[in-house]
């Protein structure tokens, strides 16, 4: 037989140890969690009944538990709209006392959070990127691009109702640069420690979805003109957001482009999409003072950062590759030929 207020057990969490009191009179019929065992939140730990011929689960770690607090603590909580069930008491048997409710200048008592399961896609992405970051010797090279002519071209095409984005121009520039620098279009096979030389230029484009980042691929990108690239990117991005991409449309690729410029990000470092050997991070196009032929003027500037696998690609090769991309973007008429 147990009475209201009797201590039934002691519960230890990662933060504190508290005594669990019976919430009412009754009979302890069965102990479900033995001493020293772990219990999940809301898992039944015992069976209690009002009478000897009734079995009812009453003792659970849920929000129905009675909060034990001093009268002063209750008054402070009421005056400041504080939920006492969120407070761990420091008094006898976990009793909440006034000192437990001392407010900070921000009136923050505790942090409320919840957990959610990873989606299948996020699990795959997380495992792949974790492996990449832990096992690939990343290094980073950044190049500033004067994007004034590219902005002018984009505006001219827009006036003619030709829907070409900055990202389309960047993809075209990268594909042509990869054709000139075949060593960048490479990867690494970690199973046999051999360098992979990709025969085709297949560019993975990072697309954000509700389930995480997915990378649909523009296959043979260097063989496609800017209109074909633009159309294919829009179609793949749409399928990516609708989760209708086929596996063959996002598995593989020889090089990855990730663009956060539309979110105002100036520069960032991409994680390499293994087994590829490099990835390009594209920042925002912003207006800044620039020097052209010794004259200071206002122009458009963009930063590109190349992440490379040092087992496959040397720093000099990365620098030369970025210089070629810069050449194309600063002379964008070549990209629409």
């Amino acid at each position: 037989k147990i009475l209201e207020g009797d201590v039934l057990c002691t519960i230890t969490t990662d933060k504190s140890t508290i005594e669990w009191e019976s919430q009412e009179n009754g009979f302890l019929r069965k102990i479900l969690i033995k001493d020293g065992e772990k219990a999940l939140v809301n898992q039944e730990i015992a069976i209690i009944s009002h009478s000897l011929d009734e079995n009812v689960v009453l003792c659970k770690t849920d929000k129905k538990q009675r909060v034990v607090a001093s009268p002063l603590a209750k008054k402070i909580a009421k005056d400041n709209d504080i939920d006492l069930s969120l407070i761990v008491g420091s008094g006898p048997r976990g009793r909440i006392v006034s000192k437990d409710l001392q407010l900070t200048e921000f009136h923050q008592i505790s942090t409320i959070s919840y957990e959610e399961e990873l989606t299948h896609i996020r699990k795959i992405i997380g495992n792949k990127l974790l492996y990449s970051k832990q096992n690939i010797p990343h290094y980073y090279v950044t190049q500033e691009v004067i994007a004034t002519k590219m902005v002018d071209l984009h505006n001219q095409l827009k006036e003619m109702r030709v829907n070409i984005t900055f990202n389309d121009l960047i993809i075209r520039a990268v594909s042509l640069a990869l054709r000139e620098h075949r060593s960048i279009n490479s990867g690494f096979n970690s199973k046999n420690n051999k360098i992979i030389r990709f025969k085709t230029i297949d560019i993975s484009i990072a697309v954000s979805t509700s389930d995480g980042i997915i990378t649909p691929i523009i296959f043979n990108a260097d063989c496609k003109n800017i209109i074909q690239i633009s159309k294919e990117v829009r179609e793949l991005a749409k399928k990516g957001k609708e989760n209708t991409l086929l596996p063959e449309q996002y598995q593989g690729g020889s090089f990855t482009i990730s663009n956060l410029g539309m979110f105002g990000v100036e520069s960032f470092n991409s994680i390499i999409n293994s087994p590829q050997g490099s990835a390009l991070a594209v920042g925002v196009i912003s207006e800044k003072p620039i020097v052209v032929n010794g004259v200071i003027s206002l122009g458009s500037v963009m930063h590109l950062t190349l992440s490379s696998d040092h087992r496959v690609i040397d720093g000099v090769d990365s620098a030369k590759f970025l210089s070629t991309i810069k050449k194309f973007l600063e002379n964008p008429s070549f990209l629409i030929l």
Side-chain angles (χ1 to χ4, degrees):
K1 183 177 180 179
I2 58 174
L3 300 176
E4 180 179 356
D6 284 353
V7 176
L8 300 183
C9 63
T10 300
I11 301 175
T12 300
T13 71
D14 59 339
K15 300 293 184 182
S16 62
T17 299
I18 59 174
E19 293 180 329
W20 183 269
E21 297 180 356
S22 174
Q23 306 300 300
E24 52 191 303
N25 300 332
F27 297 87
L28 177 61
R29 305 300 297 274
K30 187 176 183 179
I31 297 174
L32 303 177
I33 302 296
K34 297 180 180 179
D35 186 25
E37 292 183 347
K38 293 183 178 180
L40 301 175
V41 175
N42 287 333
Q43 181 178 354
E44 292 84 1
I45 61 174
I47 296 177
I48 299 174
S49 66
H50 291 99
S51 61
L52 289 176
D53 58 356
E54 178 187 16
N55 280 341
V56 181
V57 177
L58 296 176
C59 187
K60 295 173 64 177
T61 43
D62 57 24
K63 293 184 179 179
K64 295 180 181 179
Q65 68 185 74
R66 182 169 64 91
V67 177
V68 180
S70 69
L72 179 57
K74 290 180 178 179
K75 184 179 185 305
I76 294 174
K78 182 179 179 180
D79 293 342
N80 292 275
D81 194 25
I82 298 172
D83 185 353
L84 288 176
S85 66
L86 302 176
I87 308 302
V88 177
S90 61
R93 297 185 179 181
R95 181 184 178 92
I96 299 172
V97 294
S98 59
K99 71 175 183 178
D100 298 324
L101 302 179
Q102 292 177 351
L103 302 179
T104 67
E105 59 178 322
F106 299 107
H107 302 285
Q108 181 178 351
I109 298 300
S110 60
T111 300
I112 303 173
S113 64
Y114 67 95
E115 295 181 348
E116 61 181 36
E117 294 291 334
L118 287 173
T119 64
H120 180 63
I121 291 179
R122 283 196 182 275
K123 287 180 181 178
I124 295 175
I125 294 171
N127 291 334
K128 189 172 183 179
L129 293 182
L130 178 63
Y131 171 85
S132 176
K133 194 62 176 176
Q134 289 181 334
N135 294 279
I136 295 179
H138 287 65
Y139 72 92
Y140 310 97
V141 179
T142 299
Q143 175 73 64
E144 183 178 85
V145 174
I146 306 301
T148 305
K149 291 182 180 179
M150 186 169 67
V151 172
D152 292 340
L153 175 63
H154 176 266
N155 292 337
Q156 291 171 13
L157 293 174
K158 187 175 181 180
E159 289 178 2
M160 299 174 65
R161 297 185 179 179
V162 179
N163 188 19
I164 300 298
T165 67
F166 291 117
N167 208 44
D168 298 333
L169 294 170
I170 292 167
I171 294 170
R172 175 68 171 156
V174 168
S175 65
L176 294 178
L178 286 171
R179 185 188 285 177
E180 293 188 22
H181 302 270
R182 303 298 300 194
S183 65
I184 305 298
N185 200 52
S186 302
F188 190 82
N189 187 334
S190 59
K191 294 182 180 179
N192 57 18
N193 288 327
K194 291 184 178 181
I195 295 176
I196 303 169
R197 300 298 186 190
F198 297 109
K199 294 182 178 180
T200 56
I201 295 173
D202 306 321
I203 298 183
S204 305
I205 308 299
V207 175
S208 177
T209 72
S210 58
D211 290 327
I213 301 296
I214 196 165
T215 52
I217 303 166
I218 307 294
F219 291 96
N220 299 299
D222 62 315
C223 300
K224 296 174 180 176
N225 61 42
I226 192 67
I227 299 297
Q228 291 172 318
I229 289 174
S230 181
K231 180 181 178 181
E232 195 167 335
V233 168
R234 288 197 302 271
E235 291 175 351
L236 290 173
K238 183 175 182 293
K239 289 183 178 181
K241 294 181 183 299
E242 295 173 349
N243 295 321
T244 59
L245 284 170
L246 299 176
E248 58 266 26
Q249 292 178 307
Y250 61 85
Q251 292 179 354
S254 63
F255 186 92
T256 296
I257 297 176
S258 180
N259 191 341
L260 292 179
M262 63 284 293
F263 300 105
V265 175
E266 185 169 320
S267 65
F268 64 103
N269 299 331
S270 288
I271 298 177
I272 297 172
N273 186 11
S274 177
Q276 298 174 14
S278 55
L280 185 70
V282 181
V284 66
I285 298 175
S286 57
E287 286 192 332
K288 292 183 178 180
I290 60 174
V291 179
V292 179
N293 298 324
V295 179
I296 299 176
S297 62
L298 191 63
S300 298
V301 175
M302 175 176 63
H303 289 92
L304 306 177
T305 301
L306 184 69
S307 304
S308 297
D309 184 341
H310 223 317
R311 297 171 299 182
V312 181
I313 302 167
D314 292 331
V316 172
D317 293 329
S318 292
K320 290 179 179 179
F321 173 65
L322 280 179
S323 293
T324 300
I325 297 176
K326 174 184 173 71
K327 175 189 68 176
F328 283 125
L329 294 180
E330 292 186 350
N331 299 276
S333 56
F334 290 103
L335 302 178
I336 61 175
L337 295 178

